[in-house]
Amino acid sequence: MSCTFLAMSLQDLKAVNSYLKSCFLIFPNYNLGHGLMEMAYNEYINEYYAKIGQFGKMKSPFEWDIVTRGLVAMTIEGFVGFFITIMCQYNFFRKPQRLPVSNKPIEDDDIDVGNERRRVLRGDADTDVLKIQNLTKVYKSRRMGRILAVDRLCTGVRPGECFGLLGVNGAGKTTTFKMLTGDESTTGGEAFVNGNSILKDLLKVQQSIGYCPQFDALFDELTAREHMELYTRLRGVPWKDEERVINWALDKLELTKYADKPAGTYSGGNKRKLSTAIALIGYPSLIFLDEPTTGMDPKARRFLWNLILDIIKTGRSVVLTSHRFGDGYMITVRTKASLYVKEVVRFFNRNFPEAVLKERHHTKVQYQLKSENISLAQVFSKMEQVVDVLGIEDYSVSQTTLDNVFVNFAKKQSDNLEQQETVSTGSVQSPIKRILSLLRPRGTTTELQALTVEEPEELESDDEGLISFEEERAQLSFNTDTLC
Ligand SMILES: Nc1ncnc2c1ncn2[C@@H]1O[C@H](COP(=O)(O)OP(=O)(O)OP(=O)(O)O)[C@@H](O)[C@H]1O
């Protein structure tokens, strides 16, 4: 705009000015700025002509050269931009590459994962709310080449089930969600939501799902109520029900107090709550929650788990990823010398008989303890009494997280892999193969059991220098009580 303004004032550059003005018409912000400037200038000149009585020379602001040209250009650009967006949405310019996927069993699958794969491929998961069959995603990147983000994922989620998707960073959890919601194309495989294919009936799929993405997709300037209004309309909630639905969602997520404040001013936890509320709009039968508890305080987390319980009680299903999960503590103790470790183990066996030994290095032991048995204050009180007596260098108490569960599981798996590698030469393993899933309600089990373990009575001193983990078969299971 400055170029055209400067060029306008110089006689020799008039042609350049006119040429630039035509070229810059493709920029909507130029049209807006230039149009406003021309209008103001025209108004000023009109005032002058009015004062000297030359009314015939006055120009309307809507003359072609003043604002109409810019308005027409912006209208055309709006339509063109809209069509380009639609074409991109439907992959008109670049058809996503599809690859055939083998139905053969994957050799190094975990037992549960292998069983689930067979169940899905047999067709036993056909009535599930969500059926994922060999879903595969390969990203192509100029710098990194081909990245296998999701490798032949097979699983089913039944009605009224809360399914946990667990994996290390980069395992492909978010990519899986993105493929299921239609954000990303699939490279291979297929998935069905309520029997509708994500490849053929994406619109129907999108109508049945709610999605809380990993990073809040919120508008800082809009309030929670305005967000709700936007999404109730996008989801086709009838006008007469709109207010009731909005108030229900705000109330359900305890956001009523902040309903009329801009989302940009919310804490991280309240932003996650708002994103979750948006995912609930329209009563979807399947809800994806990608790290819903990030940034939430313990009370809000507990509240969210209760909410998930309410959701699955209504027969709807939830698929979630979360790093925070357990309802216990991890107590890590580091001793001044390895000879004290035995004493620490004795102390735990005597004072915390229900504690589960998770790890033992030569000067470090880690125990998992359920929080319902003991309060945090009692843990600290008991530990403080023996810090000096047991030669404890330092200790920490933290909440059990899904990470702890995963790390234990991954360690167990890597041990198994190492054993297998001695038999067969190493084949490349995709990260998704390490996804731990299958968090299902089972019988009357009431706790999240990362690994079931026979607690050793006493550890021999010749264990020093070794890392010891639980020896029982690794299993992840919970029922709905775990969540609250
Ligand atoms: N747009 C992209 N282009 C190229 N590679 C990608 C793209 N998105 C993800 N990836 C790669 O795909 C793999 C899986 O990523 P994804 O984000 O799905 O993992 P994740 O399990 O959700 O991890 P996190 O918990 O850190 O989000 C990673 O190796 C990542 O680098």
Side-chain angles (χ1 to χ4, degrees), residues 139 141 147 149 168-175 184 214 291 323:
Y139 284 112
S141 131
I147 301 164
V168 289
N169 282 351
K173 306 178 294 290
T174 302
T175 305
E184 284 285 356
Q214 188 173 17
E291 301 281 352
H323 291 297

mmCIF file with all atom_site columns, all heavy atoms in Angstrom, residues 139 141 147 149 168-175 184 214 291 323, ligand 1:
data_model
loop_
_atom_site.group_PDB
_atom_site.id
_atom_site.type_symbol
_atom_site.label_atom_id
_atom_site.label_alt_id
_atom_site.label_comp_id
_atom_site.label_asym_id
_atom_site.label_entity_id
_atom_site.label_seq_id
_atom_site.pdbx_PDB_ins_code
_atom_site.Cartn_x
_atom_site.Cartn_y
_atom_site.Cartn_z
_atom_site.occupancy
_atom_site.B_iso_or_equiv
_atom_site.pdbx_formal_charge
_atom_site.auth_seq_id
_atom_site.auth_comp_id
_atom_site.auth_asym_id
_atom_site.auth_atom_id
_atom_site.pdbx_PDB_model_num
ATOM   1   N N   . TYR A 1 139 ? 3.646  -41.448 6.808  1.00 0.00 ? 139 TYR A N   1
ATOM   2   C CA  . TYR A 1 139 ? 3.859  -40.046 6.433  1.00 0.00 ? 139 TYR A CA  1
ATOM   3   C C   . TYR A 1 139 ? 5.059  -39.982 5.505  1.00 0.00 ? 139 TYR A C   1
ATOM   4   O O   . TYR A 1 139 ? 6.020  -40.719 5.687  1.00 0.00 ? 139 TYR A O   1
ATOM   5   C CB  . TYR A 1 139 ? 4.177  -39.197 7.659  1.00 0.00 ? 139 TYR A CB  1
ATOM   6   C CG  . TYR A 1 139 ? 2.994  -38.871 8.518  1.00 0.00 ? 139 TYR A CG  1
ATOM   7   C CD1 . TYR A 1 139 ? 2.868  -39.416 9.794  1.00 0.00 ? 139 TYR A CD1 1
ATOM   8   C CD2 . TYR A 1 139 ? 2.006  -38.002 8.083  1.00 0.00 ? 139 TYR A CD2 1
ATOM   9   C CE1 . TYR A 1 139 ? 1.790  -39.100 10.603 1.00 0.00 ? 139 TYR A CE1 1
ATOM   10  C CE2 . TYR A 1 139 ? 0.928  -37.682 8.884  1.00 0.00 ? 139 TYR A CE2 1
ATOM   11  C CZ  . TYR A 1 139 ? 0.831  -38.235 10.139 1.00 0.00 ? 139 TYR A CZ  1
ATOM   12  O OH  . TYR A 1 139 ? -0.227 -37.928 10.935 1.00 0.00 ? 139 TYR A OH  1
ATOM   13  N N   . SER A 1 141 ? 7.956  -37.439 4.346  1.00 0.00 ? 141 SER A N   1
ATOM   14  C CA  . SER A 1 141 ? 8.526  -36.137 4.662  1.00 0.00 ? 141 SER A CA  1
ATOM   15  C C   . SER A 1 141 ? 9.820  -35.986 3.875  1.00 0.00 ? 141 SER A C   1
ATOM   16  O O   . SER A 1 141 ? 10.575 -36.948 3.725  1.00 0.00 ? 141 SER A O   1
ATOM   17  C CB  . SER A 1 141 ? 8.736  -36.057 6.176  1.00 0.00 ? 141 SER A CB  1
ATOM   18  O OG  . SER A 1 141 ? 9.996  -35.616 6.501  1.00 0.00 ? 141 SER A OG  1
ATOM   19  N N   . ILE A 1 147 ? 7.757  -42.192 7.133  1.00 0.00 ? 147 ILE A N   1
ATOM   20  C CA  . ILE A 1 147 ? 7.631  -42.460 8.573  1.00 0.00 ? 147 ILE A CA  1
ATOM   21  C C   . ILE A 1 147 ? 6.410  -43.341 8.786  1.00 0.00 ? 147 ILE A C   1
ATOM   22  O O   . ILE A 1 147 ? 5.286  -42.953 8.450  1.00 0.00 ? 147 ILE A O   1
ATOM   23  C CB  . ILE A 1 147 ? 7.461  -41.148 9.372  1.00 0.00 ? 147 ILE A CB  1
ATOM   24  C CG1 . ILE A 1 147 ? 8.658  -40.238 9.150  1.00 0.00 ? 147 ILE A CG1 1
ATOM   25  C CG2 . ILE A 1 147 ? 7.278  -41.438 10.852 1.00 0.00 ? 147 ILE A CG2 1
ATOM   26  C CD1 . ILE A 1 147 ? 8.423  -38.804 9.575  1.00 0.00 ? 147 ILE A CD1 1
ATOM   27  N N   . ALA A 1 149 ? 3.889  -44.277 10.956 1.00 0.00 ? 149 ALA A N   1
ATOM   28  C CA  . ALA A 1 149 ? 3.337  -43.738 12.212 1.00 0.00 ? 149 ALA A CA  1
ATOM   29  C C   . ALA A 1 149 ? 2.390  -44.731 12.873 1.00 0.00 ? 149 ALA A C   1
ATOM   30  O O   . ALA A 1 149 ? 2.369  -44.854 14.091 1.00 0.00 ? 149 ALA A O   1
ATOM   31  C CB  . ALA A 1 149 ? 2.619  -42.420 11.940 1.00 0.00 ? 149 ALA A CB  1
ATOM   32  N N   . VAL A 1 168 ? 4.387  -44.641 23.896 1.00 0.00 ? 168 VAL A N   1
ATOM   33  C CA  . VAL A 1 168 ? 5.414  -43.607 24.080 1.00 0.00 ? 168 VAL A CA  1
ATOM   34  C C   . VAL A 1 168 ? 5.141  -42.447 23.128 1.00 0.00 ? 168 VAL A C   1
ATOM   35  O O   . VAL A 1 168 ? 4.336  -42.575 22.202 1.00 0.00 ? 168 VAL A O   1
ATOM   36  C CB  . VAL A 1 168 ? 6.833  -44.161 23.778 1.00 0.00 ? 168 VAL A CB  1
ATOM   37  C CG1 . VAL A 1 168 ? 7.272  -45.117 24.843 1.00 0.00 ? 168 VAL A CG1 1
ATOM   38  C CG2 . VAL A 1 168 ? 6.866  -44.813 22.409 1.00 0.00 ? 168 VAL A CG2 1
ATOM   39  N N   . ASN A 1 169 ? 5.803  -41.316 23.364 1.00 0.00 ? 169 ASN A N   1
ATOM   40  C CA  . ASN A 1 169 ? 5.647  -40.186 22.446 1.00 0.00 ? 169 ASN A CA  1
ATOM   41  C C   . ASN A 1 169 ? 6.016  -40.637 21.039 1.00 0.00 ? 169 ASN A C   1
ATOM   42  O O   . ASN A 1 169 ? 7.047  -41.263 20.832 1.00 0.00 ? 169 ASN A O   1
ATOM   43  C CB  . ASN A 1 169 ? 6.581  -39.029 22.847 1.00 0.00 ? 169 ASN A CB  1
ATOM   44  C CG  . ASN A 1 169 ? 6.023  -38.260 24.014 1.00 0.00 ? 169 ASN A CG  1
ATOM   45  O OD1 . ASN A 1 169 ? 4.875  -38.475 24.408 1.00 0.00 ? 169 ASN A OD1 1
ATOM   46  N ND2 . ASN A 1 169 ? 6.829  -37.389 24.562 1.00 0.00 ? 169 ASN A ND2 1
ATOM   47  N N   . GLY A 1 170 ? 5.161  -40.317 20.104 1.00 0.00 ? 170 GLY A N   1
ATOM   48  C CA  . GLY A 1 170 ? 5.436  -40.682 18.719 1.00 0.00 ? 170 GLY A CA  1
ATOM   49  C C   . GLY A 1 170 ? 4.959  -42.078 18.374 1.00 0.00 ? 170 GLY A C   1
ATOM   50  O O   . GLY A 1 170 ? 5.240  -42.581 17.287 1.00 0.00 ? 170 GLY A O   1
ATOM   51  N N   . ALA A 1 171 ? 4.241  -42.731 19.275 1.00 0.00 ? 171 ALA A N   1
ATOM   52  C CA  . ALA A 1 171 ? 3.771  -44.100 18.995 1.00 0.00 ? 171 ALA A CA  1
ATOM   53  C C   . ALA A 1 171 ? 2.651  -44.106 17.964 1.00 0.00 ? 171 ALA A C   1
ATOM   54  O O   . ALA A 1 171 ? 2.354  -45.144 17.388 1.00 0.00 ? 171 ALA A O   1
ATOM   55  C CB  . ALA A 1 171 ? 3.293  -44.766 20.282 1.00 0.00 ? 171 ALA A CB  1
ATOM   56  N N   . GLY A 1 172 ? 2.014  -42.975 17.772 1.00 0.00 ? 172 GLY A N   1
ATOM   57  C CA  . GLY A 1 172 ? 0.981  -42.887 16.739 1.00 0.00 ? 172 GLY A CA  1
ATOM   58  C C   . GLY A 1 172 ? -0.437 -42.737 17.275 1.00 0.00 ? 172 GLY A C   1
ATOM   59  O O   . GLY A 1 172 ? -1.403 -42.918 16.542 1.00 0.00 ? 172 GLY A O   1
ATOM   60  N N   . LYS A 1 173 ? -0.569 -42.363 18.547 1.00 0.00 ? 173 LYS A N   1
ATOM   61  C CA  . LYS A 1 173 ? -1.908 -42.238 19.144 1.00 0.00 ? 173 LYS A CA  1
ATOM   62  C C   . LYS A 1 173 ? -2.695 -41.116 18.466 1.00 0.00 ? 173 LYS A C   1
ATOM   63  O O   . LYS A 1 173 ? -3.827 -41.310 18.034 1.00 0.00 ? 173 LYS A O   1
ATOM   64  C CB  . LYS A 1 173 ? -1.803 -41.961 20.655 1.00 0.00 ? 173 LYS A CB  1
ATOM   65  C CG  . LYS A 1 173 ? -0.966 -42.966 21.410 1.00 0.00 ? 173 LYS A CG  1
ATOM   66  C CD  . LYS A 1 173 ? -0.844 -42.626 22.866 1.00 0.00 ? 173 LYS A CD  1
ATOM   67  C CE  . LYS A 1 173 ? -0.072 -41.361 23.166 1.00 0.00 ? 173 LYS A CE  1
ATOM   68  N NZ  . LYS A 1 173 ? 1.355  -41.423 22.907 1.00 0.00 ? 173 LYS A NZ  1
ATOM   69  N N   . THR A 1 174 ? -2.069 -39.945 18.382 1.00 0.00 ? 174 THR A N   1
ATOM   70  C CA  . THR A 1 174 ? -2.771 -38.805 17.797 1.00 0.00 ? 174 THR A CA  1
ATOM   71  C C   . THR A 1 174 ? -3.073 -39.064 16.325 1.00 0.00 ? 174 THR A C   1
ATOM   72  O O   . THR A 1 174 ? -4.156 -38.716 15.828 1.00 0.00 ? 174 THR A O   1
ATOM   73  C CB  . THR A 1 174 ? -1.915 -37.526 17.968 1.00 0.00 ? 174 THR A CB  1
ATOM   74  O OG1 . THR A 1 174 ? -1.673 -37.356 19.355 1.00 0.00 ? 174 THR A OG1 1
ATOM   75  C CG2 . THR A 1 174 ? -2.618 -36.303 17.423 1.00 0.00 ? 174 THR A CG2 1
ATOM   76  N N   . THR A 1 175 ? -2.125 -39.694 15.628 1.00 0.00 ? 175 THR A N   1
ATOM   77  C CA  . THR A 1 175 ? -2.356 -40.005 14.210 1.00 0.00 ? 175 THR A CA  1
ATOM   78  C C   . THR A 1 175 ? -3.560 -40.931 14.070 1.00 0.00 ? 175 THR A C   1
ATOM   79  O O   . THR A 1 175 ? -4.380 -40.769 13.159 1.00 0.00 ? 175 THR A O   1
ATOM   80  C CB  . THR A 1 175 ? -1.093 -40.662 13.602 1.00 0.00 ? 175 THR A CB  1
ATOM   81  O OG1 . THR A 1 175 ? 0.015  -39.795 13.827 1.00 0.00 ? 175 THR A OG1 1
ATOM   82  C CG2 . THR A 1 175 ? -1.249 -40.914 12.126 1.00 0.00 ? 175 THR A CG2 1
ATOM   83  N N   . GLU A 1 184 ? -6.808 -36.855 8.907  1.00 0.00 ? 184 GLU A N   1
ATOM   84  C CA  . GLU A 1 184 ? -5.704 -37.386 8.104  1.00 0.00 ? 184 GLU A CA  1
ATOM   85  C C   . GLU A 1 184 ? -6.231 -38.521 7.237  1.00 0.00 ? 184 GLU A C   1
ATOM   86  O O   . GLU A 1 184 ? -7.141 -39.256 7.654  1.00 0.00 ? 184 GLU A O   1
ATOM   87  C CB  . GLU A 1 184 ? -4.610 -37.963 9.016  1.00 0.00 ? 184 GLU A CB  1
ATOM   88  C CG  . GLU A 1 184 ? -3.731 -36.948 9.698  1.00 0.00 ? 184 GLU A CG  1
ATOM   89  C CD  . GLU A 1 184 ? -2.711 -36.303 8.784  1.00 0.00 ? 184 GLU A CD  1
ATOM   90  O OE1 . GLU A 1 184 ? -2.628 -36.693 7.595  1.00 0.00 ? 184 GLU A OE1 1
ATOM   91  O OE2 . GLU A 1 184 ? -2.009 -35.405 9.265  1.00 0.00 ? 184 GLU A OE2 1
ATOM   92  N N   . GLN A 1 214 ? -5.644 -33.140 21.231 1.00 0.00 ? 214 GLN A N   1
ATOM   93  C CA  . GLN A 1 214 ? -4.552 -32.998 22.200 1.00 0.00 ? 214 GLN A CA  1
ATOM   94  C C   . GLN A 1 214 ? -4.281 -31.522 22.529 1.00 0.00 ? 214 GLN A C   1
ATOM   95  O O   . GLN A 1 214 ? -4.003 -31.173 23.659 1.00 0.00 ? 214 GLN A O   1
ATOM   96  C CB  . GLN A 1 214 ? -3.293 -33.651 21.621 1.00 0.00 ? 214 GLN A CB  1
ATOM   97  C CG  . GLN A 1 214 ? -2.153 -33.742 22.589 1.00 0.00 ? 214 GLN A CG  1
ATOM   98  C CD  . GLN A 1 214 ? -0.997 -34.544 22.010 1.00 0.00 ? 214 GLN A CD  1
ATOM   99  O OE1 . GLN A 1 214 ? -0.905 -34.774 20.809 1.00 0.00 ? 214 GLN A OE1 1
ATOM   100 N NE2 . GLN A 1 214 ? -0.101 -34.974 22.860 1.00 0.00 ? 214 GLN A NE2 1
ATOM   101 N N   . GLU A 1 291 ? -5.445 -36.934 25.556 1.00 0.00 ? 291 GLU A N   1
ATOM   102 C CA  . GLU A 1 291 ? -4.841 -36.283 26.723 1.00 0.00 ? 291 GLU A CA  1
ATOM   103 C C   . GLU A 1 291 ? -5.806 -35.300 27.380 1.00 0.00 ? 291 GLU A C   1
ATOM   104 O O   . GLU A 1 291 ? -5.476 -34.120 27.550 1.00 0.00 ? 291 GLU A O   1
ATOM   105 C CB  . GLU A 1 291 ? -3.569 -35.520 26.314 1.00 0.00 ? 291 GLU A CB  1
ATOM   106 C CG  . GLU A 1 291 ? -2.509 -36.356 25.680 1.00 0.00 ? 291 GLU A CG  1
ATOM   107 C CD  . GLU A 1 291 ? -1.713 -37.145 26.688 1.00 0.00 ? 291 GLU A CD  1
ATOM   108 O OE1 . GLU A 1 291 ? -1.892 -36.921 27.884 1.00 0.00 ? 291 GLU A OE1 1
ATOM   109 O OE2 . GLU A 1 291 ? -0.966 -38.020 26.271 1.00 0.00 ? 291 GLU A OE2 1
ATOM   110 N N   . HIS A 1 323 ? -1.691 -39.534 30.325 1.00 0.00 ? 323 HIS A N   1
ATOM   111 C CA  . HIS A 1 323 ? -0.477 -39.904 31.045 1.00 0.00 ? 323 HIS A CA  1
ATOM   112 C C   . HIS A 1 323 ? -0.775 -40.080 32.530 1.00 0.00 ? 323 HIS A C   1
ATOM   113 O O   . HIS A 1 323 ? -0.011 -40.685 33.248 1.00 0.00 ? 323 HIS A O   1
ATOM   114 C CB  . HIS A 1 323 ? 0.604  -38.845 30.850 1.00 0.00 ? 323 HIS A CB  1
ATOM   115 C CG  . HIS A 1 323 ? 1.110  -38.837 29.449 1.00 0.00 ? 323 HIS A CG  1
ATOM   116 N ND1 . HIS A 1 323 ? 1.742  -39.912 28.892 1.00 0.00 ? 323 HIS A ND1 1
ATOM   117 C CD2 . HIS A 1 323 ? 1.038  -37.900 28.487 1.00 0.00 ? 323 HIS A CD2 1
ATOM   118 C CE1 . HIS A 1 323 ? 2.063  -39.631 27.639 1.00 0.00 ? 323 HIS A CE1 1
ATOM   119 N NE2 . HIS A 1 323 ? 1.638  -38.422 27.374 1.00 0.00 ? 323 HIS A NE2 1
HETATM 120 N N1  . LIG B 2 .   ? 2.362  -34.396 9.695  1.00 0.00 ? 1   LIG B N1  1
HETATM 121 C C1  . LIG B 2 .   ? 3.356  -35.270 9.927  1.00 0.00 ? 1   LIG B C1  1
HETATM 122 N N2  . LIG B 2 .   ? 4.338  -35.439 9.012  1.00 0.00 ? 1   LIG B N2  1
HETATM 123 C C2  . LIG B 2 .   ? 5.316  -36.329 9.227  1.00 0.00 ? 1   LIG B C2  1
HETATM 124 N N3  . LIG B 2 .   ? 5.410  -37.118 10.308 1.00 0.00 ? 1   LIG B N3  1
HETATM 125 C C3  . LIG B 2 .   ? 4.465  -36.996 11.257 1.00 0.00 ? 1   LIG B C3  1
HETATM 126 C C4  . LIG B 2 .   ? 3.388  -36.070 11.120 1.00 0.00 ? 1   LIG B C4  1
HETATM 127 N N4  . LIG B 2 .   ? 2.584  -36.183 12.218 1.00 0.00 ? 1   LIG B N4  1
HETATM 128 C C5  . LIG B 2 .   ? 3.149  -37.129 13.000 1.00 0.00 ? 1   LIG B C5  1
HETATM 129 N N5  . LIG B 2 .   ? 4.273  -37.610 12.429 1.00 0.00 ? 1   LIG B N5  1
HETATM 130 C C6  . LIG B 2 .   ? 5.133  -38.666 12.961 1.00 0.00 ? 1   LIG B C6  1
HETATM 131 O O1  . LIG B 2 .   ? 4.322  -39.811 13.168 1.00 0.00 ? 1   LIG B O1  1
HETATM 132 C C7  . LIG B 2 .   ? 4.699  -40.453 14.374 1.00 0.00 ? 1   LIG B C7  1
HETATM 133 C C8  . LIG B 2 .   ? 3.474  -40.570 15.282 1.00 0.00 ? 1   LIG B C8  1
HETATM 134 O O2  . LIG B 2 .   ? 3.100  -39.259 15.730 1.00 0.00 ? 1   LIG B O2  1
HETATM 135 P P1  . LIG B 2 .   ? 1.850  -39.004 16.699 1.00 0.00 ? 1   LIG B P1  1
HETATM 136 O O3  . LIG B 2 .   ? 1.732  -37.537 16.910 1.00 0.00 ? 1   LIG B O3  1
HETATM 137 O O4  . LIG B 2 .   ? 0.658  -39.707 16.168 1.00 0.00 ? 1   LIG B O4  1
HETATM 138 O O5  . LIG B 2 .   ? 2.318  -39.729 18.034 1.00 0.00 ? 1   LIG B O5  1
HETATM 139 P P2  . LIG B 2 .   ? 1.665  -39.725 19.478 1.00 0.00 ? 1   LIG B P2  1
HETATM 140 O O6  . LIG B 2 .   ? 1.669  -41.118 19.959 1.00 0.00 ? 1   LIG B O6  1
HETATM 141 O O7  . LIG B 2 .   ? 0.358  -39.029 19.459 1.00 0.00 ? 1   LIG B O7  1
HETATM 142 O O8  . LIG B 2 .   ? 2.712  -38.881 20.298 1.00 0.00 ? 1   LIG B O8  1
HETATM 143 P P3  . LIG B 2 .   ? 2.455  -37.679 21.324 1.00 0.00 ? 1   LIG B P3  1
HETATM 144 O O9  . LIG B 2 .   ? 1.900  -38.287 22.557 1.00 0.00 ? 1   LIG B O9  1
HETATM 145 O O10 . LIG B 2 .   ? 3.810  -37.085 21.507 1.00 0.00 ? 1   LIG B O10 1
HETATM 146 O O11 . LIG B 2 .   ? 1.507  -36.749 20.638 1.00 0.00 ? 1   LIG B O11 1
HETATM 147 C C9  . LIG B 2 .   ? 5.821  -39.640 14.978 1.00 0.00 ? 1   LIG B C9  1
HETATM 148 O O12 . LIG B 2 .   ? 7.033  -40.256 14.606 1.00 0.00 ? 1   LIG B O12 1
HETATM 149 C C10 . LIG B 2 .   ? 5.697  -38.299 14.315 1.00 0.00 ? 1   LIG B C10 1
HETATM 150 O O13 . LIG B 2 .   ? 6.947  -37.684 14.179 1.00 0.00 ? 1   LIG B O13 1
#
